[in-house]
Amino acid sequence: MGRRPSRCYRYQKNKPYIKSRYCRGVPDSKIRIYDVGAKKAAVDLFPFVAHMVCDEKQQISSEALEAARVAINKHLTKTVGKDAYHIRMRAHPFHILRANKMLSCAGADRLSSGMRHSYGKPIGVAARVSIGQVLISVRAKDANQAHVIEALRRGKFKFAGRQKILRSTKWGFTKFSREEYVTKRKNGELSADGNIVKVNNYHGLLEKSPLF
Protein backbone atom coordinates (compact mmCIF):
# COMPACT_ATOMS: atom_id res chain seq x y z
CA MET A 1 0.00 0.00 0.00
CA GLY A 2 1.49 3.34 -1.10
CA ARG A 3 1.12 6.78 0.42
CA ARG A 4 -2.34 8.25 0.43
CA PRO A 5 -2.85 11.36 -1.72
CA SER A 6 -2.51 14.62 0.22
CA ARG A 7 -6.12 15.57 -0.48
CA CYS A 8 -7.05 13.10 2.29
CA TYR A 9 -5.15 15.23 4.82
CA ARG A 10 -5.60 18.74 3.44
CA TYR A 11 -7.90 20.17 6.12
CA GLN A 12 -7.37 20.57 9.86
CA LYS A 13 -9.99 18.33 11.45
CA ASN A 14 -8.92 17.31 14.92
CA LYS A 15 -6.57 18.57 17.59
CA PRO A 16 -2.82 18.73 16.91
CA TYR A 17 -1.38 15.24 17.26
CA ILE A 18 2.37 15.33 17.83
CA LYS A 19 5.18 12.86 18.42
CA SER A 20 5.53 11.98 22.09
CA ARG A 21 6.51 9.13 24.37
CA TYR A 22 2.98 7.76 23.89
CA CYS A 23 2.94 8.09 20.09
CA ARG A 24 6.10 6.42 18.87
CA GLY A 25 7.22 4.94 15.57
CA VAL A 26 6.53 8.10 13.60
CA PRO A 27 8.26 8.27 10.19
CA ASP A 28 10.85 11.04 9.84
CA SER A 29 9.87 14.29 8.17
CA LYS A 30 10.89 14.49 4.49
CA ILE A 31 12.17 18.04 4.97
CA ARG A 32 15.38 18.17 6.99
CA ILE A 33 16.96 21.45 5.81
CA TYR A 34 15.17 24.69 6.65
CA ASP A 35 17.84 27.24 5.61
CA VAL A 36 19.29 27.03 2.09
CA GLY A 37 21.72 29.17 0.11
CA ALA A 38 24.02 31.81 1.58
CA LYS A 39 22.62 31.47 5.09
CA LYS A 40 25.71 33.05 6.66
CA ALA A 41 25.61 36.11 4.39
CA ALA A 42 25.84 39.37 6.35
CA VAL A 43 22.61 41.20 7.09
CA ASP A 44 23.71 44.23 4.99
CA LEU A 45 24.24 42.10 1.90
CA PHE A 46 20.61 41.06 1.17
CA PRO A 47 18.17 43.92 1.76
CA PHE A 48 15.30 42.56 -0.36
CA VAL A 49 12.95 39.96 1.11
CA ALA A 50 9.81 38.27 -0.23
CA HIS A 51 7.41 35.94 1.60
CA MET A 52 5.04 33.20 0.47
CA VAL A 53 1.97 33.63 2.66
CA CYS A 54 -0.75 31.00 3.14
CA ASP A 55 -4.30 32.13 2.37
CA GLU A 56 -6.10 29.07 3.79
CA LYS A 57 -6.37 27.18 7.05
CA GLN A 58 -5.00 23.78 6.10
CA GLN A 59 -2.29 21.15 6.54
CA ILE A 60 0.81 20.98 4.35
CA SER A 61 2.68 17.68 4.27
CA SER A 62 6.44 17.50 4.80
CA GLU A 63 6.74 16.04 1.27
CA ALA A 64 5.14 19.18 -0.20
CA LEU A 65 7.40 21.48 1.85
CA GLU A 66 10.49 19.61 0.64
CA ALA A 67 9.27 19.69 -2.98
CA ALA A 68 8.73 23.47 -2.78
CA ARG A 69 12.17 24.00 -1.22
CA VAL A 70 13.84 22.01 -4.01
CA ALA A 71 11.92 23.85 -6.75
CA ILE A 72 12.77 27.32 -5.37
CA ASN A 73 16.39 26.40 -4.74
CA LYS A 74 16.82 24.98 -8.25
CA HIS A 75 15.40 28.07 -9.97
CA LEU A 76 17.48 30.52 -7.90
CA THR A 77 20.70 28.52 -8.32
CA LYS A 78 20.18 28.53 -12.07
CA THR A 79 19.30 32.24 -12.37
CA VAL A 80 21.22 34.16 -9.67
CA GLY A 81 23.87 31.69 -8.46
CA LYS A 82 24.05 29.69 -5.25
CA ASP A 83 25.62 32.45 -3.12
CA ALA A 84 23.19 35.24 -4.01
CA TYR A 85 20.13 34.29 -1.92
CA HIS A 86 19.00 32.80 1.38
CA ILE A 87 15.81 30.69 1.59
CA ARG A 88 14.19 30.09 4.97
CA MET A 89 11.38 27.55 5.40
CA ARG A 90 9.06 28.99 8.03
CA ALA A 91 6.51 26.16 8.42
CA HIS A 92 7.57 23.11 10.44
CA PRO A 93 5.71 19.79 10.20
CA PHE A 94 4.90 18.48 13.69
CA HIS A 95 1.36 17.11 13.22
CA ILE A 96 1.21 13.33 12.67
CA LEU A 97 -0.96 11.90 9.88
CA ARG A 98 -2.54 8.51 10.48
CA ALA A 99 -4.01 5.85 8.18
CA ASN A 100 -6.07 2.79 8.98
CA LYS A 101 -4.26 0.33 6.72
CA MET A 102 -6.62 -1.89 4.75
CA LEU A 103 -5.76 -5.06 2.83
CA SER A 104 -6.58 -4.77 -0.85
CA CYS A 105 -5.52 -8.22 -2.09
CA ALA A 106 -7.79 -11.08 -3.15
CA GLY A 107 -9.68 -12.56 -0.22
CA ALA A 108 -8.99 -9.48 1.89
CA ASP A 109 -12.56 -9.47 3.22
CA ARG A 110 -11.84 -12.70 5.13
CA LEU A 111 -8.66 -11.30 6.71
CA SER A 112 -9.42 -7.63 7.28
CA SER A 113 -11.29 -6.44 10.36
CA GLY A 114 -13.09 -3.58 8.59
CA MET A 115 -13.73 -0.69 10.95
CA ARG A 116 -12.90 -2.62 14.11
CA HIS A 117 -9.89 -1.14 15.93
CA SER A 118 -9.73 1.46 13.19
CA TYR A 119 -7.38 3.93 14.93
CA GLY A 120 -4.67 4.41 12.32
CA LYS A 121 -0.90 4.02 12.35
CA PRO A 122 1.37 7.05 11.75
CA ILE A 123 2.25 7.42 8.05
CA GLY A 124 3.80 10.89 7.88
CA VAL A 125 3.87 14.43 9.25
CA ALA A 126 2.36 17.74 8.21
CA ALA A 127 2.48 21.41 9.19
CA ARG A 128 -0.77 22.98 10.40
CA VAL A 129 -0.93 26.46 8.88
CA SER A 130 -3.42 29.29 9.23
CA ILE A 131 -4.48 32.23 7.07
CA GLY A 132 -1.75 34.87 6.84
CA GLN A 133 1.03 32.56 8.06
CA VAL A 134 4.38 32.89 6.28
CA LEU A 135 5.45 29.59 4.71
CA ILE A 136 8.72 30.54 2.98
CA SER A 137 10.90 33.66 3.07
CA VAL A 138 13.70 34.49 0.62
CA ARG A 139 16.21 37.34 0.99
CA ALA A 140 18.46 38.54 -1.81
CA LYS A 141 19.83 41.67 -3.47
CA ASP A 142 17.42 44.23 -4.95
CA ALA A 143 18.69 43.44 -8.46
CA ASN A 144 17.43 39.83 -8.16
CA GLN A 145 13.92 40.75 -7.08
CA ALA A 146 12.20 39.39 -10.21
CA HIS A 147 14.01 36.03 -9.96
CA VAL A 148 13.05 35.60 -6.29
CA ILE A 149 9.37 36.28 -7.01
CA GLU A 150 9.42 33.85 -9.98
CA ALA A 151 11.05 31.16 -7.79
CA LEU A 152 8.36 31.57 -5.12
CA ARG A 153 5.68 31.41 -7.82
CA ARG A 154 7.09 28.05 -8.94
CA GLY A 155 7.16 26.83 -5.35
CA LYS A 156 3.45 27.64 -4.99
CA PHE A 157 2.55 24.81 -7.38
CA LYS A 158 3.71 22.25 -4.81
CA PHE A 159 1.01 23.29 -2.33
CA ALA A 160 -2.75 22.82 -2.29
CA GLY A 161 -4.97 25.85 -1.80
CA ARG A 162 -4.06 29.46 -2.38
CA GLN A 163 -0.88 31.28 -1.45
CA LYS A 164 0.17 34.88 -1.98
CA ILE A 165 3.64 36.26 -2.65
CA LEU A 166 4.33 39.47 -0.74
CA ARG A 167 7.22 41.85 -1.14
CA SER A 168 8.27 42.96 2.34
CA THR A 169 9.05 46.54 3.38
CA LYS A 170 11.53 45.26 5.99
CA TRP A 171 15.31 44.99 5.56
CA GLY A 172 16.18 41.31 5.08
CA PHE A 173 15.03 39.07 7.94
CA THR A 174 15.10 41.92 10.47
CA LYS A 175 12.04 43.59 12.03
CA PHE A 176 13.09 47.08 10.91
CA SER A 177 11.80 48.91 7.83
CA ARG A 178 14.42 49.95 5.28
CA GLU A 179 14.52 53.64 6.25
CA GLU A 180 14.61 52.82 9.96
CA TYR A 181 17.35 50.23 9.42
CA VAL A 182 19.61 52.61 7.47
CA THR A 183 19.12 55.42 10.02
CA LYS A 184 19.78 53.21 13.05
CA ARG A 185 22.83 51.58 11.46
CA LYS A 186 24.33 55.05 10.85
CA ASN A 187 23.54 56.12 14.43
CA GLY A 188 25.17 52.98 15.82
CA GLU A 189 21.91 51.80 17.43
CA LEU A 190 22.12 48.56 15.41
CA SER A 191 25.10 46.36 14.72
CA ALA A 192 25.33 43.42 12.32
CA ASP A 193 25.30 40.04 14.04
CA GLY A 194 25.60 37.41 11.31
CA ASN A 195 22.44 37.25 9.20
CA ILE A 196 20.42 39.22 11.78
CA VAL A 197 20.96 42.51 13.58
CA LYS A 198 21.66 43.32 17.23
CA VAL A 199 20.09 46.29 19.02
CA ASN A 200 22.62 48.27 21.06
CA ASN A 201 20.94 49.49 24.24
CA TYR A 202 22.08 51.84 26.97
CA HIS A 203 22.96 49.11 29.49
CA GLY A 204 26.44 48.17 30.62
CA LEU A 205 29.78 49.99 30.66
CA LEU A 206 29.98 53.16 28.59
CA GLU A 207 33.44 52.36 27.20
CA LYS A 208 32.11 49.09 25.75
CA SER A 209 28.99 50.60 24.21
CA PRO A 210 29.12 51.52 20.50
CA LEU A 211 26.65 54.37 21.22
CA PHE A 212 29.23 56.56 23.03
Side-chain angles (χ1 to χ4, degrees):
M1 180 185 167
R3 263 195 84 253
R4 278 195 190 166
S6 276
R7 64 171 174 266
C8 305
Y9 302 101
R10 179 173 163 186
Y11 298 110
Q12 295 183 22
K13 279 169 61 180
N14 307 318
K15 292 177 181 177
Y17 183 64
I18 59 163
K19 190 173 173 180
S20 67
R21 61 185 177 176
Y22 310 110
C23 176
R24 299 176 299 279
V26 179
D28 281 342
S29 166
K30 286 284 182 290
I31 182 166
R32 310 294 272 167
I33 302 167
Y34 291 88
D35 280 88
V36 194
K39 55 192 175 193
K40 290 188 178 175
V43 65
D44 294 331
L45 200 59
F46 296 150
F48 172 74
V49 63
H51 305 295
M52 188 195 292
V53 178
C54 187
D55 210 23
E56 289 189 26
K57 186 180 179 184
Q58 60 175 10
Q59 295 181 158
I60 296 176
S61 68
S62 63
E63 286 86 355
L65 287 167
E66 174 65 7
R69 184 190 69 81
V70 169
I72 294 169
N73 192 37
K74 185 175 269 186
H75 181 76
L76 288 175
T77 306
K78 208 156 51 179
T79 51
V80 302
K82 65 178 175 30
D83 293 325
Y85 63 89
H86 176 193
I87 303 167
R88 181 169 283 170
M89 305 299 291
R90 304 272 298 271
H92 289 241
F94 290 119
H95 178 74
I96 297 170
L97 306 175
R98 298 190 305 264
N100 175 25
K101 295 224 169 81
M102 303 286 236
L103 295 170
S104 56
C105 54
D109 50 340
R110 291 162 179 268
L111 303 169
S112 70
S113 55
M115 289 303 285
R116 287 182 189 170
H117 304 299
S118 58
Y119 195 86
K121 294 271 189 293
I123 58 160
V125 284
R128 289 163 70 95
V129 294
S130 50
I131 296 170
Q133 185 174 332
V134 179
L135 301 175
I136 304 170
S137 299
V138 184
R139 66 183 182 122
K141 291 181 176 166
D142 285 325
N144 298 327
Q145 183 173 322
H147 295 303
V148 168
I149 288 169
E150 171 59 19
L152 285 171
R153 190 191 70 83
R154 291 182 179 210
K156 278 202 313 183
F157 295 121
K158 307 298 177 189
F159 298 141
R162 181 165 52 175
Q163 293 79 32
K164 290 184 175 163
I165 295 167
L166 302 182
R167 199 165 54 227
S168 177
T169 56
K170 304 276 194 277
W171 182 289
F173 289 159
T174 67
K175 62 181 180 181
F176 302 102
S177 67
R178 288 187 168 221
E179 299 76 30
E180 195 183 359
Y181 180 85
V182 171
T183 313
K184 289 191 170 185
R185 279 290 268 139
K186 280 180 182 165
N187 296 348
E189 286 180 55
L190 299 176
S191 56
D193 186 24
N195 59 18
I196 53 169
V197 77
K198 197 156 61 175
V199 180
N200 298 318
N201 55 30
Y202 292 91
H203 294 263
L205 297 171
L206 292 181
E207 61 262 25
K208 289 185 179 173
S209 172
L211 296 168
F212 297 99

